[in-house]
Amino acid sequence: MAKTALVTGITGQDGSYIAELLLREGYRVVGMTRRTSTEVHERIEHIVGDVEIISGDLLDQSSITSIVNDVRPDEIYNLAAQSFVPASWSQPVLTGEFTALGVTRVLEAIRHVEPAIRFYQASSSEMFGKVQEVPQRETTPFYPRSPYGVAKVYGHWITVNYRESYGIFACSGISFNHESERRGKEFVTRKISDGVARIKLGLAQELRLGNLDAQRDWGYAGDYVRAMWLMLQQERPDDYVIATGRTHSVRDFVRTAFEVAGLGSYEKYVAVDPRFVRPAEVDMLVGDAGKARAVLGWEPEVTFEQLVAMMVTADLDRLAAHRRT
Ligand code: NAP
Ligand code: G4F
């Protein structure tokens, strides 16, 4: 019998990729979306006929419990969150409600409805924050640097706690930054690929950014959702770091993106704008995914250079097509 998966955050970047993967694996896929006055589901437009969409909100326990009760999933991928770090300083309480307590609400629904449901929690390398060890692995102590990071630490530990308290098959994937052409335009990689494409096509003259020296371990979202799925197919639940093991600065990303577009040196186009500098920064992240490689057999396939090229090319194609219409 086909397995059923419930995906919270199916309209997000990762939600769209995991939904595609699960459909390929023959699952019945149910996506939870929150009610809005307009229905913008652009990332899942191409598969909307193949998935079931059901209305619920991470803020609302009763909606989550009834969804779990009605859908009876074998697996839940909890990808929904307030995921933009700067917004967590302007909306710290809401971030805690979505990104921290939202996890407990889903786990409570599992506990009450069907404790055999397997659960994936989208934890984050932001939990390492001011890093206590290089590279970061599953045992590295957390030192979050934003309300978002703090909320994710809560989400991680409540996942571990429900596994240890109630025997729930709950896994926490500590993912480092992963990107794609479906990344939101507020995140730095997509802001750069979109900005570079606009400059190339004469639609913009400059690109305003914050800290160019921050370093991230950037991978491709399509690779990372494969790790999420693999975690729930194991005999035992556990926590895994998902990372490429290579780090690059924002400046490296900018330089590569301008090169891909054939614009030469970035320096005459890029301005540093204090509005995009954070009150507390995570200076450097680089993960050790040795455990995921050994246990899950997981390896990232897309390199940093391929990722930048993929994103810039996609934005160039999209904007050029838009200009023609
Ligand atoms: P994303 O594109 O921002 O998607 C977030 C999703 O959460 C959207 O579908 C959003 O729905 C939904 N959502 C937000 N608040 C909700 C609420 N109250 N109730 C129901 N749904 C809600 O994020 P992503 O990049 O795909 O990341 C997926 C998850 O992985 C997040 O938990 C993120 O924190 C975590 N993570 C991401 C990365 C990364 O590099 N991408 C790394 C580590 C961890 P709307 O469409 O309605 O806004
Ligand atoms: O792209 P970012 O906004 O991603 P950030 O803060 O690393 O968070 C992302 O990855 C986390 C995993 O580590 C996820 F948990 C989280 O949900 C999200 O997906 O910023 C990356 C870096 C930062 O150091 C930031 O200061 O880029 C720097 N940056 C420089 N200029 C900028 C900008 N970031 C943004 N968003 N916009 C800028 O103009």
Side-chain angles (χ1 to χ4, degrees):
M1 255 219 339
K3 283 204 253 182
T4 298
L6 173 65
V7 181
T8 75
I10 194 166
T11 56
Q13 172 188 258
D14 292 5
S16 68
Y17 283 108
I18 193 98
E20 286 173 0
L21 179 152
L22 293 165
L23 288 170
R24 280 197 305 275
E25 294 292 333
Y27 281 67
R28 168 186 170 225
V29 179
V30 182
M32 185 185 96
T33 62
R34 52 182 168 170
R35 196 261 159 195
T36 49
S37 66
T38 51
E39 275 210 9
V40 187
H41 293 165
E42 65 185 38
R43 295 190 181 99
I44 53 167
E45 243 167 33
H46 59 298
I47 50 169
V48 86
D50 303 321
V51 298
E52 294 166 42
I53 296 297
I54 194 156
S55 179
D57 199 301
L58 279 185
L59 296 180
D60 184 54
Q61 181 71 63
S62 67
S63 69
I64 299 171
T65 307
S66 358
I67 288 173
V68 174
N69 196 35
D70 293 348
V71 172
R72 296 281 164 166
D74 299 284
E75 297 168 9
I76 297 182
Y77 296 86
N78 184 38
L79 308 183
Q82 190 303 91
S83 73
F84 188 45
V85 173
S88 77
W89 277 287
S90 54
Q91 301 180 346
V93 175
L94 189 63
T95 299
E97 287 285 354
F98 285 9
T99 304
L101 285 178
V103 187
T104 311
R105 295 190 184 101
V106 181
L107 286 164
E108 274 293 278
I110 292 175
R111 183 164 83 86
H112 288 294
V113 175
E114 177 46 85
I117 295 169
R118 295 186 170 206
F119 176 76
Y120 174 82
Q121 167 56 16
S123 292
S124 165
S125 52
E126 278 289 308
M127 302 190 301
F128 296 122
K130 191 170 176 180
V131 298
Q132 303 295 294
E133 185 180 26
V134 179
Q136 296 84 53
R137 46 178 69 91
E138 292 79 5
T139 49
T140 303
F142 300 137
Y143 192 140
R145 294 273 280 170
S146 63
Y148 169 83
V150 173
K152 282 288 180 187
V153 171
Y154 174 94
H156 170 79
W157 282 118
I158 201 72
T159 301
V160 173
N161 181 263
Y162 271 54
R163 181 168 76 219
E164 293 177 354
S165 302
Y166 304 115
I168 290 173
F169 194 111
C171 300
S172 170
I174 307 173
S175 292
F176 283 62
N177 298 50
H178 45 277
E179 319 292 315
S180 72
E181 62 197 64
R182 298 184 199 165
R183 187 59 140 153
K185 284 190 200 142
E186 66 275 37
F187 298 95
V188 78
T189 56
R190 184 74 198 289
K191 184 173 171 183
I192 296 167
S193 64
D194 179 69
V196 165
R198 283 177 192 279
I199 292 170
K200 175 74 178 178
L201 297 175
L203 301 169
Q205 278 73 51
E206 65 166 7
L207 176 57
R208 303 186 78 79
L209 296 168
N211 178 9
L212 299 182
D213 296 318
Q215 290 174 270
R216 290 290 182 278
D217 180 331
W218 277 298
Y220 170 55
D223 284 339
Y224 284 49
V225 298
R226 208 171 58 248
M228 298 173 193
W229 177 73
L230 283 169
M231 281 177 221
L232 296 200
Q233 313 313 308
Q234 303 306 304
E235 263 180 40
R236 269 183 289 280
D238 208 342
D239 309 319
Y240 297 89
V241 159
I242 305 299
T244 71
R246 289 178 70 203
T247 191
H248 292 90
S249 64
V250 173
R251 192 184 304 282
D252 291 337
F253 198 105
V254 170
R255 188 184 295 116
T256 312
F258 276 87
E259 279 166 12
V260 168
L263 284 167
S265 171
Y266 70 90
E267 274 145 343
K268 63 177 188 254
Y269 300 107
V270 173
V272 171
D273 186 331
R275 282 181 304 150
F276 301 115
V277 175
R278 300 178 180 186
E281 179 62 284
V282 171
D283 294 318
M284 201 277 290
L285 291 173
V286 58
D288 174 356
K291 181 175 168 185
R293 196 179 313 116
V295 180
L296 307 176
W298 179 83
E299 293 271 8
E301 285 172 7
V302 175
T303 65
F304 173 79
E305 292 74 18
Q306 288 168 333
L307 176 67
V308 180
M310 181 193 292
M311 292 179 70
V312 172
T313 307
D315 274 319
L316 279 167
D317 292 348
R318 180 182 57 82
L319 288 167
H322 192 253
R323 211 166 51 165
R324 281 196 297 274
T325 57

